[in-house]
Amino acid sequence: MPNVTLSLGKNSYDVHVSNGSLDSVGFFAARARLGKRAALITDAHVYPQYGESVRRSLEAADVEVSVHVITAGEEQKSLSQVEKLVSEMVAAGHNRSSFVVALGGGVVGDLAGFVASVFYRGIPYVQLPTSVLAQVDSSIGGKTAVNIPAGKNLIGAFHQPRFVLADPISLLTLSPRDLREGMAEMVKHAAIRKPKMLVTLRHIAKEVPLGFSLRTIESLPEVIAENIEIKARIVEEDEHETSGVRAFLNFGHTLGHGIEASLPYGQLRHGEAVSLGMRAALFLSRKHLGLQAQEEREVLETLAALQQPLVLPEEVDPADVMEHTAADKKFDHGKIRFVLLRALGDPVLSTEITREDLQEAIAHLTTPVSLN
């Protein structure tokens, strides 16, 4: 089983990547001495697939479990949903000796992690990510958050999980679209730290249009662990995003979040919006830092192989994208912190990108991509 350790002092923990690991959550919870009461937070799509097996595993370890099932969807990452879940946990008898189990994709992980961070001023939680996006990115590093109308993830807390179990078998139930958009985060990791992985991702992309096969799933733990390793090392350097290193993980996210927020929740998936954001960031990297055209092309070819959007949808108003981007937490004293690439694997956190640059990049996203 590939394991990745995040060395964060008293907040250190392991990420276990193994096919079938969801059935072992009770063993890991007992080993971590998490207590005898757990609130299992999941969504209506994931619970029928894995909820009962996770509950049984915990109960076999003598853990009493209350189950809290939310409606699936990004709109559930709200303060009203936090209040609802906290109220349910109080009614179920939970207290500061309980722990939270987050079973699901990025929405559940962000929401449940935030609930754990505020319940009784903070209780332990564990991440059981069931999407590509969550397994390689959002479940790692302790960022928890909910959305408000002004922007995505504007209310949150750093709250590290006690452990993470990434089970690639859970990806078998995902739609091809969900698989593809989640792999956009792998492209991001490759672009900022390990360009050679782009070749691997283009190879995997050949299977994605039809969904992952069992043969692909058998080989996925190594690829997923490779991505987790990239994020883990960055988080270790800058756990609370104070030095700027962790901001490299925002490559493609600045305009990506603005684009995502400009449409009704769910119309454009997170990874799809990040794909567009990466195209914009590559354009600005070429303009300002001299990124080589061939390196830009390699990233775009990988995103195209994964059938990720590279042209802004017609229904997106560029003015709305600018408005939402301006409200993003990456703005600092009137300047935006924008991740660019000097070269593949060599990211830079720039504060020199102007509003005019952003407008030009958004306009660039309305033009076709030529990869011939």
Side-chain angles (χ1 to χ4, degrees):
M1 154 186 320
N3 292 333
V4 179
T5 298
L6 276 81
S7 299
L8 300 170
K10 63 182 179 61
N11 293 325
S12 297
Y13 58 95
D14 291 329
V15 183
H16 307 275
V17 188
S18 177
N19 291 328
S21 59
L22 284 182
D23 293 334
S24 302
V25 61
F27 165 80
F28 286 102
R31 190 172 73 173
R33 298 180 179 179
L34 286 178
K36 295 300 183 181
R37 291 184 60 80
L40 172 59
I41 299 177
T42 185
D43 69 34
H45 287 171
V46 174
Y47 184 75
Q49 302 286 344
Y50 310 108
E52 283 303 302
S53 62
V54 167
R55 181 181 61 78
R56 286 194 297 269
S57 178
L58 288 165
E59 289 178 345
D62 198 27
V63 176
E64 184 180 344
V65 182
S66 66
V67 178
H68 310 269
V69 182
I70 66 170
T71 303
E74 181 76 21
E75 64 276 8
Q76 300 303 311
K77 278 178 56 174
S78 67
L79 287 172
S80 61
Q81 185 62 256
V82 171
E83 182 178 6
K84 181 175 183 294
L85 286 168
V86 166
S87 297
E88 289 179 1
M89 289 171 61
V90 170
H94 290 290
N95 55 36
R96 59 176 48 90
S97 65
S98 299
F99 65 98
V100 168
V101 178
L103 171 66
V107 169
V108 168
D110 285 0
L111 173 65
F114 184 66
V115 167
S117 77
V118 297
F119 188 76
Y120 276 87
R121 298 186 177 89
I123 62 173
Y125 78 112
V126 302
Q127 289 271 18
L128 309 182
T130 60
S131 70
V132 179
L133 174 64
Q135 290 188 7
V136 305
D137 188 67
S138 62
S139 69
I140 314 299
K143 277 189 175 182
T144 73
V146 295
N147 307 327
I148 59 175
K152 185 179 174 70
N153 296 333
L154 292 185
I155 297 179
F158 288 99
H159 191 49
Q160 299 292 350
R162 293 290 294 275
F163 64 80
V164 180
L165 296 185
D167 186 348
I169 287 180
S170 66
L171 306 181
L172 283 171
T173 57
L174 298 180
S175 71
R177 184 182 180 187
D178 287 331
L179 293 172
R180 292 193 298 265
E181 71 103 6
M183 290 181 69
E185 293 287 351
M186 293 186 176
V187 176
K188 176 199 74 177
H189 288 151
I192 64 173
R193 277 291 169 102
K194 199 167 187 178
K196 290 182 179 180
M197 192 166 61
L198 292 170
V199 177
T200 302
L201 297 179
R202 289 196 292 274
H203 177 74
I204 294 175
K206 296 176 182 178
E207 282 209 19
V208 172
L210 300 177
F212 284 159
S213 67
L214 278 171
R215 179 175 60 82
T216 306
I217 290 293
E218 288 172 358
S219 66
L220 272 182
E222 295 296 335
V223 179
I224 290 172
E226 189 175 9
N227 277 269
I228 293 170
E229 183 82 26
I230 290 170
K231 181 159 187 181
R233 301 293 81 85
I234 290 175
V235 171
E236 286 174 348
E237 291 181 58
D238 187 16
E239 181 181 358
H240 296 108
E241 203 167 324
T242 54
S243 72
V245 173
R246 185 164 179 167
F248 293 156
L249 293 165
N250 291 325
F251 180 65
H253 285 61
T254 304
L255 278 176
H257 282 169
I259 293 167
E260 189 177 6
S262 300
L263 292 168
Y265 281 134
Q267 189 166 329
L268 195 67
R269 306 288 176 83
H270 175 71
E272 294 167 347
V274 169
S275 175
L276 289 163
M278 282 193 279
R279 184 190 174 196
L282 291 166
F283 168 78
L284 293 173
S285 298
R286 190 156 44 84
K287 175 184 176 183
H288 288 278
L289 297 179
L291 177 71
Q292 295 297 306
Q294 179 53 41
E295 293 189 304
E296 176 188 36
R297 180 189 180 93
E298 187 174 359
V299 177
L300 295 178
E301 284 180 343
T302 307
L303 291 169
L306 291 166
Q307 300 180 41
Q308 291 304 283
L310 295 172
V311 178
L312 202 66
E314 291 183 358
E315 60 269 31
V316 175
D317 184 344
D320 287 344
V321 176
M322 276 299 301
E323 180 182 349
H324 286 290
T325 303
D328 194 281
K329 56 188 177 298
K330 299 176 190 67
F331 266 97
D332 186 15
H333 296 94
K335 291 186 175 182
I336 193 166
R337 296 181 297 133
F338 205 97
V339 183
L340 303 177
L341 299 177
R342 276 188 294 246
L344 289 181
D346 185 12
V348 175
L349 184 60
S350 173
T351 57
E352 302 305 315
I353 298 301
T354 65
R355 289 177 181 270
E356 290 72 24
D357 287 325
L358 294 180
Q359 289 170 340
E360 186 178 3
I362 295 168
H364 178 68
L365 294 179
T366 66
T367 63
V369 178
S370 176
L371 297 174
N372 296 326

